Amino acid sequence: MFRYEKMLWYPISIKKKDLRLASVIKTQYGGPYGELGAALRYLNQRYTMPDDRGKALLTDIGTEELGHVEMVVTLYYQLMQGATLDELKAVGLEKHYGQHGMEIFMTDAMGVPFTVANIGATGDPLADLSENMGAEEKARATYEHLMDLTDDIDVLGPLSYLREREIIHFERFKELYIYYKNQKKMKMKKVK
Amino acid sequence: MNRKHLMEHQKQNSNLSTNNTISLNLVPIDEVLQKGTIFSELYEPYKIIPPKPIAENEQERLLHELQTYAIAGMDLNLFLDVYPDNREGIKLFNMIRERKNEAVKNYEDKYGPIQISSNSLNGVPWPWNMSSWPWEDENQ
């Protein structure tokens, strides 16, 4: 089961509205390298991990990612806070407003809806874990691009935090990957 | 155990090799929130030194303390998933876990429930609805 804790992982308190940045940051919600995809990928993969290390790590990182989804959406809403229709139109967000009003929708920065079509689920721990290492690096790169697009310290703090977590997750996936790889090698030797 | 003791414990135990051969090089506890990790060798900032979150009032101070222990606990949790025999990590995790539980209680006693298991939920009207939602910033 899952339970909600009524707090963010990291404090977010944005004073300066930035609609354009909000519409780009949204990609870490519904985009290809986003937090929603990460959470679903790991929580889906955990059932076929070969031992308790894998089941634990995939469960725990998947759960942490759900909290990152909440952080990204918080960034979006605080950056959009108090936006007028004229301001929305000025940055080309009238299409979004027409479809969704002021509600966020799960798309990438270009408006492409969230899809699970390309999420790796191979049933092979080595294939799944190496996909996860790639996913963490792609998310890290995306956070760096987002950091390049702003100099608002209130946004850079949470983005730095989210980026750092990608580094941690990459490391743990890599360590588990190496552990499983060595186990497999030992088994193969026995076969020979 | 207070924060000072915890930091001293970390100092004494940093660079300590365990029988699992992994040594824990730790970020000082009061930098964990800023750096986003408790593992100093995995702290790799991009372009800027991340800003240190500044508490503007008592509520934020208690929340930052809670977030600090939540992050440190999560980090050790993931580490132990992969290294389940690391005694030093287990000891540290449990120390952080106790500090987090205390921080949750300290916050909830004053500012309302974080967890649905909170003692602060015994009130009318329903206290779960009364505290602000995490995505809403009261300073805005």
Side-chain angles (χ1 to χ4, degrees):
Chain A
M1 67 179 267
F2 290 93
R3 244 188 277 178
Y4 185 62
E5 293 202 11
K6 205 174 173 183
M7 61 181 272
L8 296 177
W9 275 114
Y10 178 100
I12 301 179
S13 175
I14 293 166
K15 283 128 204 141
K16 221 176 108 213
K17 186 165 49 180
D18 188 339
L19 279 53
R20 209 182 285 274
L21 186 63
S23 71
V24 183
I25 281 180
K26 190 173 60 175
T27 191
Q28 281 308 89
Y29 182 39
Y33 317 131
E35 301 288 357
L36 190 59
L40 294 176
R41 182 186 298 108
Y42 308 147
L43 293 176
N44 186 73
Q45 290 174 353
R46 65 187 173 140
Y47 302 96
T48 51
M49 284 292 129
D51 66 6
D52 292 321
R53 293 178 195 220
K55 284 168 201 168
L57 190 68
L58 275 286
T59 298
D60 294 334
I61 295 183
T63 303
E64 186 186 344
E65 304 287 19
L66 289 172
H68 294 173
V69 170
E70 187 180 41
M71 277 186 67
V72 170
V73 175
T74 298
L75 284 171
Y76 177 88
Y77 274 112
Q78 289 194 12
L79 285 166
M80 295 285 279
Q81 178 92 0
T84 65
L85 288 181
D86 284 339
E87 286 170 338
L88 287 172
K89 284 192 228 165
V91 295
L93 286 173
E94 62 268 40
K95 290 178 205 157
H96 179 95
Y97 180 80
Q99 270 177 270
H100 306 294
M102 292 307 290
E103 189 170 337
I104 193 170
F105 187 58
M106 301 125 184
T107 70
D108 72 5
M110 266 81 81
V112 179
F114 179 68
T115 175
V116 294
N118 300 313
I119 283 183
T122 65
D124 179 308
L126 292 177
D128 278 359
L129 288 171
S130 54
E131 151 138 346
N132 299 353
M133 287 154 63
E136 295 293 334
E137 290 286 38
K138 287 182 267 190
R140 177 195 51 74
T142 307
Y143 282 121
E144 288 175 14
H145 298 156
L146 294 172
M147 287 173 73
D148 292 340
L149 293 172
T150 183
D151 51 17
D152 184 346
I153 205 77
D154 296 335
V155 182
L156 286 170
L159 290 177
S160 296
Y161 174 80
L162 289 164
R163 177 187 166 280
E164 176 62 32
R165 298 311 298 164
E166 310 297 345
I167 293 169
I168 301 292
H169 296 166
F170 172 84
E171 186 67 18
R172 299 294 169 240
F173 283 136
K174 188 184 79 182
E175 288 162 345
L176 188 65
Y177 175 87
I178 292 168
Y179 175 75
Y180 285 158
K181 184 86 180 173
N182 288 338
Q183 280 198 325
K184 192 175 180 183
K185 273 186 196 160
M186 270 152 61
K187 266 187 206 160
M188 299 288 261
K189 266 183 198 162
K190 280 179 196 160
V191 173
K192 278 177 197 167
Chain B
M1 187 174 280
N2 62 28
R3 283 163 72 96
K4 236 182 209 169
H5 281 132
L6 188 58
M7 284 173 77
E8 273 164 22
H9 173 89
Q10 287 188 358
K11 263 183 213 156
Q12 284 163 15
N13 289 281
S14 57
N15 303 313
L16 183 75
S17 279
T18 67
N19 48 7
N20 199 28
T21 71
I22 304 282
S23 64
L24 304 179
N25 297 307
L26 301 175
V27 167
I29 195 74
D30 58 352
E31 292 174 15
V32 164
L33 182 59
Q34 175 191 12
K35 294 183 173 174
T37 181
I38 197 170
F39 294 108
S40 56
E41 70 271 28
L42 294 177
Y43 168 59
E44 298 167 17
Y46 173 68
K47 284 214 306 201
I48 55 159
I49 303 291
K52 195 171 181 124
I54 295 168
E56 285 170 15
N57 51 50
E58 177 67 358
Q59 182 172 7
E60 285 182 8
R61 192 187 69 75
L62 290 174
L63 184 61
H64 292 185
E65 193 166 302
L66 168 50
Q67 285 164 325
T68 295
Y69 291 116
I71 294 162
M74 186 78 228
D75 235 2
L76 288 158
N77 173 354
L78 301 182
F79 173 80
L80 291 169
D81 288 348
V82 185
Y83 302 104
D85 301 318
N86 190 287
R87 286 171 189 276
E88 191 54 38
I90 291 171
K91 197 172 149 194
L92 194 58
F93 173 85
N94 281 285
M95 195 182 299
I96 297 282
R97 178 182 59 77
E98 282 175 25
R99 296 296 293 138
K100 192 213 164 186
N101 289 343
E102 277 172 44
V104 170
K105 195 180 173 301
N106 290 342
Y107 183 94
E108 288 179 334
D109 284 351
K110 278 195 171 169
Y111 302 109
I114 293 279
Q115 300 175 342
I116 199 67
S117 55
S118 169
N119 286 334
S120 68
L121 285 163
N122 191 3
V124 181
W126 178 227
W128 187 246
N129 295 1
M130 301 302 288
S131 55
S132 63
W133 292 90
W135 57 88
E136 293 167 345
D137 182 17
E138 285 166 349
N139 298 327
Q140 269 193 337

